[in-house]
Amino acid sequence: MTASLAAAPASRRLPNSRQLIALIGVVSLALIAGAWFFELVLHLRPCKLCLEQRAPHYAAIGLALVGLALARSPRLQWLVLLGLAGLMAWSTGLGVYHAGVEWGWFMGPNDCGGAASAAAGMQDFMKQLQTTRIVACSEAAWRFLGLSLAGWNALASAGLFLLAVFGLLRGKTAA
């Protein structure tokens, strides 16, 4: 059995375009699920930049689903991978920027202090002041192996970007 695997052409063991599209969509879904877990279960409130980093992954999930359902031809699959590569490049950039803000390498946006709902009256406003925790973009709420969630998002997104580019290059040589 080992000999037959070794004798199989390398292209048969590599994921095809549809599998790459599915993989990128599933990993984006896992990243979003992780973000929601940190927010809802561990009560780490996201800042403005944290929320912005989710947008490319939401779009990637949708594009992957549409691509898997409708992109039957290699040309359409190539276009879906191109879109996913663009989304993951955007996500990587957002993650690097946010991690850089946390490390003090870049200035963050002026309005990056967390979102609070508008108070209906003075009593509600006073209660919000006592109970609302403002989340600054320049403070990492959690780190693992020295990287914040923004840093991990940048690494994961860069990996997904490379997978999409791999599929694009392989699709171009096959055509």
Side-chain angles (χ1 to χ4, degrees), residues 11-46:
S11 63
R12 292 181 72 199
R13 290 188 301 236
L14 297 174
N16 62 34
S17 294
R18 289 182 57 78
Q19 291 169 330
L20 287 172
I21 291 167
L23 179 62
I24 293 168
V26 166
V27 172
S28 284
L29 180 63
L31 290 170
I32 290 296
W36 281 99
F37 174 81
F38 278 97
E39 182 177 351
L40 299 174
V41 176
L42 300 181
H43 305 291
L44 296 179
R45 302 225 2 126

Short mmCIF file of all heavy atoms in Angstrom, two decimals, residues 11-46:
data_model
loop_
_atom_site.label_atom_id
_atom_site.label_comp_id
_atom_site.label_asym_id
_atom_site.label_seq_id
_atom_site.Cartn_x
_atom_site.Cartn_y
_atom_site.Cartn_z
N SER A 11 0.31 15.20 -8.33
CA SER A 11 -0.90 15.98 -8.59
C SER A 11 -2.15 15.29 -8.06
O SER A 11 -3.13 15.95 -7.76
CB SER A 11 -1.04 16.28 -10.08
OG SER A 11 -1.20 15.08 -10.80
N ARG A 12 -2.12 13.98 -7.93
CA ARG A 12 -3.29 13.26 -7.42
C ARG A 12 -3.42 13.42 -5.91
O ARG A 12 -4.50 13.31 -5.37
CB ARG A 12 -3.22 11.79 -7.79
CG ARG A 12 -3.36 11.58 -9.31
CD ARG A 12 -3.32 10.16 -9.69
NE ARG A 12 -4.57 9.52 -9.28
CZ ARG A 12 -4.73 8.23 -9.13
NH1 ARG A 12 -3.71 7.42 -9.36
NH2 ARG A 12 -5.87 7.72 -8.77
N ARG A 13 -2.32 13.66 -5.21
CA ARG A 13 -2.37 13.82 -3.76
C ARG A 13 -2.66 15.26 -3.36
O ARG A 13 -3.07 15.51 -2.25
CB ARG A 13 -1.04 13.39 -3.15
CG ARG A 13 -0.81 11.89 -3.25
CD ARG A 13 0.41 11.52 -2.48
NE ARG A 13 1.57 12.24 -2.99
CZ ARG A 13 2.69 11.69 -3.42
NH1 ARG A 13 2.82 10.39 -3.38
NH2 ARG A 13 3.68 12.40 -3.86
N LEU A 14 -2.42 16.20 -4.24
CA LEU A 14 -2.65 17.61 -3.93
C LEU A 14 -4.14 17.92 -4.06
O LEU A 14 -4.84 17.36 -4.89
CB LEU A 14 -1.86 18.50 -4.89
CG LEU A 14 -0.34 18.36 -4.81
CD1 LEU A 14 0.32 19.18 -5.90
CD2 LEU A 14 0.16 18.79 -3.46
N PRO A 15 -4.62 18.83 -3.23
CA PRO A 15 -6.05 19.18 -3.31
C PRO A 15 -6.38 19.89 -4.62
O PRO A 15 -5.59 20.68 -5.12
CB PRO A 15 -6.27 20.10 -2.11
CG PRO A 15 -4.92 20.60 -1.73
CD PRO A 15 -3.94 19.56 -2.17
N ASN A 16 -7.55 19.59 -5.16
CA ASN A 16 -7.97 20.26 -6.38
C ASN A 16 -8.59 21.61 -6.02
O ASN A 16 -8.70 21.97 -4.85
CB ASN A 16 -8.93 19.37 -7.19
CG ASN A 16 -10.21 19.06 -6.44
OD1 ASN A 16 -10.72 19.88 -5.67
ND2 ASN A 16 -10.73 17.86 -6.66
N SER A 17 -9.01 22.35 -7.02
CA SER A 17 -9.53 23.70 -6.80
C SER A 17 -10.76 23.71 -5.89
O SER A 17 -10.88 24.54 -4.99
CB SER A 17 -9.87 24.37 -8.13
OG SER A 17 -8.70 24.58 -8.88
N ARG A 18 -11.67 22.79 -6.12
CA ARG A 18 -12.88 22.73 -5.28
C ARG A 18 -12.53 22.43 -3.83
O ARG A 18 -13.11 22.99 -2.91
CB ARG A 18 -13.86 21.69 -5.82
CG ARG A 18 -14.51 22.12 -7.13
CD ARG A 18 -15.52 21.12 -7.65
NE ARG A 18 -16.59 20.80 -6.74
CZ ARG A 18 -17.66 21.58 -6.51
NH1 ARG A 18 -17.76 22.72 -7.13
NH2 ARG A 18 -18.60 21.19 -5.67
N GLN A 19 -11.57 21.54 -3.61
CA GLN A 19 -11.15 21.23 -2.25
C GLN A 19 -10.47 22.43 -1.59
O GLN A 19 -10.67 22.69 -0.40
CB GLN A 19 -10.21 20.02 -2.25
CG GLN A 19 -10.91 18.73 -2.62
CD GLN A 19 -9.94 17.59 -2.89
OE1 GLN A 19 -8.81 17.80 -3.34
NE2 GLN A 19 -10.38 16.37 -2.60
N LEU A 20 -9.69 23.18 -2.35
CA LEU A 20 -9.06 24.39 -1.81
C LEU A 20 -10.11 25.44 -1.45
O LEU A 20 -10.01 26.08 -0.40
CB LEU A 20 -8.05 24.97 -2.81
CG LEU A 20 -6.75 24.19 -2.96
CD1 LEU A 20 -5.92 24.76 -4.10
CD2 LEU A 20 -5.95 24.22 -1.66
N ILE A 21 -11.09 25.60 -2.30
CA ILE A 21 -12.18 26.55 -2.03
C ILE A 21 -12.89 26.14 -0.74
O ILE A 21 -13.15 26.97 0.14
CB ILE A 21 -13.16 26.62 -3.21
CG1 ILE A 21 -12.48 27.29 -4.42
CG2 ILE A 21 -14.44 27.35 -2.84
CD1 ILE A 21 -13.23 27.14 -5.73
N ALA A 22 -13.20 24.85 -0.61
CA ALA A 22 -13.88 24.36 0.59
C ALA A 22 -13.00 24.55 1.83
O ALA A 22 -13.49 24.97 2.88
CB ALA A 22 -14.24 22.89 0.42
N LEU A 23 -11.72 24.26 1.70
CA LEU A 23 -10.80 24.39 2.83
C LEU A 23 -10.72 25.84 3.31
O LEU A 23 -10.79 26.11 4.52
CB LEU A 23 -9.41 23.87 2.45
CG LEU A 23 -8.34 23.97 3.54
CD1 LEU A 23 -8.73 23.14 4.75
CD2 LEU A 23 -6.99 23.52 2.98
N ILE A 24 -10.60 26.76 2.38
CA ILE A 24 -10.51 28.18 2.75
C ILE A 24 -11.82 28.62 3.42
O ILE A 24 -11.80 29.33 4.43
CB ILE A 24 -10.16 29.04 1.53
CG1 ILE A 24 -8.74 28.72 1.06
CG2 ILE A 24 -10.31 30.53 1.83
CD1 ILE A 24 -8.37 29.28 -0.29
N GLY A 25 -12.95 28.18 2.89
CA GLY A 25 -14.23 28.51 3.50
C GLY A 25 -14.39 27.94 4.90
O GLY A 25 -14.84 28.63 5.82
N VAL A 26 -13.98 26.69 5.09
CA VAL A 26 -14.11 26.04 6.40
C VAL A 26 -13.17 26.68 7.42
O VAL A 26 -13.56 26.91 8.58
CB VAL A 26 -13.85 24.52 6.28
CG1 VAL A 26 -13.64 23.86 7.63
CG2 VAL A 26 -14.99 23.84 5.54
N VAL A 27 -11.95 27.00 7.02
CA VAL A 27 -11.02 27.64 7.96
C VAL A 27 -11.51 29.04 8.31
O VAL A 27 -11.43 29.46 9.46
CB VAL A 27 -9.58 27.65 7.41
CG1 VAL A 27 -8.65 28.47 8.29
CG2 VAL A 27 -9.05 26.22 7.28
N SER A 28 -12.05 29.77 7.34
CA SER A 28 -12.62 31.09 7.65
C SER A 28 -13.78 30.95 8.63
O SER A 28 -13.91 31.75 9.57
CB SER A 28 -13.08 31.79 6.37
OG SER A 28 -11.99 32.29 5.66
N LEU A 29 -14.60 29.94 8.43
CA LEU A 29 -15.71 29.68 9.36
C LEU A 29 -15.17 29.36 10.75
O LEU A 29 -15.71 29.85 11.76
CB LEU A 29 -16.58 28.53 8.84
CG LEU A 29 -17.78 28.15 9.70
CD1 LEU A 29 -18.77 29.29 9.81
CD2 LEU A 29 -18.45 26.91 9.12
N ALA A 30 -14.11 28.57 10.84
CA ALA A 30 -13.51 28.24 12.13
C ALA A 30 -12.93 29.49 12.80
O ALA A 30 -13.05 29.65 14.03
CB ALA A 30 -12.42 27.18 11.95
N LEU A 31 -12.33 30.38 12.02
CA LEU A 31 -11.80 31.61 12.59
C LEU A 31 -12.92 32.50 13.13
O LEU A 31 -12.79 33.10 14.21
CB LEU A 31 -10.97 32.37 11.54
CG LEU A 31 -9.64 31.71 11.17
CD1 LEU A 31 -9.01 32.40 9.97
CD2 LEU A 31 -8.69 31.71 12.35
N ILE A 32 -14.02 32.59 12.41
CA ILE A 32 -15.17 33.37 12.88
C ILE A 32 -15.75 32.72 14.14
O ILE A 32 -16.09 33.41 15.11
CB ILE A 32 -16.24 33.50 11.77
CG1 ILE A 32 -15.72 34.42 10.66
CG2 ILE A 32 -17.57 33.99 12.33
CD1 ILE A 32 -15.49 35.86 11.09
N ALA A 33 -15.88 31.39 14.13
CA ALA A 33 -16.39 30.69 15.32
C ALA A 33 -15.48 30.94 16.52
O ALA A 33 -15.95 31.15 17.64
CB ALA A 33 -16.51 29.19 15.04
N GLY A 34 -14.17 30.95 16.29
CA GLY A 34 -13.23 31.24 17.36
C GLY A 34 -13.40 32.65 17.89
O GLY A 34 -13.37 32.89 19.11
N ALA A 35 -13.59 33.61 16.99
CA ALA A 35 -13.80 35.00 17.41
C ALA A 35 -15.07 35.12 18.25
O ALA A 35 -15.07 35.79 19.30
CB ALA A 35 -13.88 35.91 16.19
N TRP A 36 -16.14 34.46 17.82
CA TRP A 36 -17.38 34.49 18.59
C TRP A 36 -17.22 33.78 19.93
O TRP A 36 -17.79 34.20 20.94
CB TRP A 36 -18.52 33.88 17.78
CG TRP A 36 -19.08 34.83 16.77
CD1 TRP A 36 -18.79 34.86 15.44
CD2 TRP A 36 -19.99 35.89 16.99
NE1 TRP A 36 -19.47 35.88 14.82
CE2 TRP A 36 -20.22 36.53 15.76
CE3 TRP A 36 -20.64 36.37 18.12
CZ2 TRP A 36 -21.07 37.61 15.63
CZ3 TRP A 36 -21.49 37.45 18.00
CH2 TRP A 36 -21.69 38.06 16.75
N PHE A 37 -16.44 32.72 19.97
CA PHE A 37 -16.17 32.01 21.23
C PHE A 37 -15.47 32.95 22.22
O PHE A 37 -15.87 33.04 23.39
CB PHE A 37 -15.31 30.76 20.98
CG PHE A 37 -14.87 30.07 22.24
CD1 PHE A 37 -15.73 29.21 22.90
CD2 PHE A 37 -13.61 30.30 22.77
CE1 PHE A 37 -15.34 28.57 24.07
CE2 PHE A 37 -13.21 29.67 23.95
CZ PHE A 37 -14.08 28.81 24.60
N PHE A 38 -14.42 33.63 21.75
CA PHE A 38 -13.71 34.55 22.63
C PHE A 38 -14.63 35.68 23.11
O PHE A 38 -14.52 36.12 24.24
CB PHE A 38 -12.48 35.13 21.93
CG PHE A 38 -11.29 34.23 21.99
CD1 PHE A 38 -10.99 33.39 20.94
CD2 PHE A 38 -10.46 34.22 23.10
CE1 PHE A 38 -9.90 32.54 20.99
CE2 PHE A 38 -9.37 33.38 23.17
CZ PHE A 38 -9.08 32.53 22.12
N GLU A 39 -15.51 36.12 22.23
CA GLU A 39 -16.41 37.21 22.59
C GLU A 39 -17.53 36.75 23.53
O GLU A 39 -17.77 37.38 24.57
CB GLU A 39 -17.02 37.84 21.34
CG GLU A 39 -17.93 38.99 21.62
CD GLU A 39 -18.48 39.66 20.37
OE1 GLU A 39 -18.03 39.33 19.26
OE2 GLU A 39 -19.39 40.49 20.52
N LEU A 40 -18.21 35.67 23.19
CA LEU A 40 -19.41 35.27 23.93
C LEU A 40 -19.14 34.38 25.13
O LEU A 40 -19.85 34.47 26.14
CB LEU A 40 -20.40 34.58 22.99
CG LEU A 40 -20.90 35.44 21.83
CD1 LEU A 40 -21.76 34.61 20.89
CD2 LEU A 40 -21.65 36.66 22.35
N VAL A 41 -18.13 33.54 25.04
CA VAL A 41 -17.86 32.60 26.14
C VAL A 41 -16.80 33.16 27.09
O VAL A 41 -16.97 33.13 28.30
CB VAL A 41 -17.43 31.22 25.58
CG1 VAL A 41 -17.06 30.26 26.70
CG2 VAL A 41 -18.55 30.63 24.72
N LEU A 42 -15.71 33.68 26.54
CA LEU A 42 -14.64 34.20 27.38
C LEU A 42 -14.81 35.68 27.71
O LEU A 42 -14.01 36.24 28.44
CB LEU A 42 -13.28 33.96 26.71
CG LEU A 42 -12.94 32.50 26.43
CD1 LEU A 42 -11.56 32.38 25.79
CD2 LEU A 42 -13.01 31.67 27.70
N HIS A 43 -15.83 36.30 27.13
CA HIS A 43 -16.18 37.70 27.40
C HIS A 43 -15.06 38.69 27.07
O HIS A 43 -14.88 39.67 27.79
CB HIS A 43 -16.65 37.86 28.85
CG HIS A 43 -17.78 36.96 29.21
ND1 HIS A 43 -19.05 37.12 28.69
CD2 HIS A 43 -17.82 35.86 29.99
CE1 HIS A 43 -19.82 36.15 29.15
NE2 HIS A 43 -19.12 35.37 29.94
N LEU A 44 -14.33 38.42 26.00
CA LEU A 44 -13.34 39.38 25.50
C LEU A 44 -14.05 40.25 24.48
O LEU A 44 -14.37 39.80 23.38
CB LEU A 44 -12.14 38.66 24.87
CG LEU A 44 -11.30 37.80 25.79
CD1 LEU A 44 -10.17 37.14 25.02
CD2 LEU A 44 -10.74 38.62 26.95
N ARG A 45 -14.30 41.49 24.83
CA ARG A 45 -15.03 42.39 23.95
C ARG A 45 -14.14 42.81 22.79
O ARG A 45 -13.01 43.22 22.99
CB ARG A 45 -15.50 43.61 24.73
CG ARG A 45 -16.38 43.21 25.89
CD ARG A 45 -17.60 43.96 26.13
NE ARG A 45 -17.92 45.01 25.21
CZ ARG A 45 -19.09 45.09 24.58
NH1 ARG A 45 -19.98 44.16 24.76
NH2 ARG A 45 -19.35 46.09 23.79
N PRO A 46 -14.65 42.74 21.57
CA PRO A 46 -13.84 43.14 20.41
C PRO A 46 -13.83 44.66 20.25
O PRO A 46 -14.81 45.34 20.56
CB PRO A 46 -14.58 42.48 19.24
CG PRO A 46 -15.99 42.39 19.70
CD PRO A 46 -15.94 42.18 21.19
#
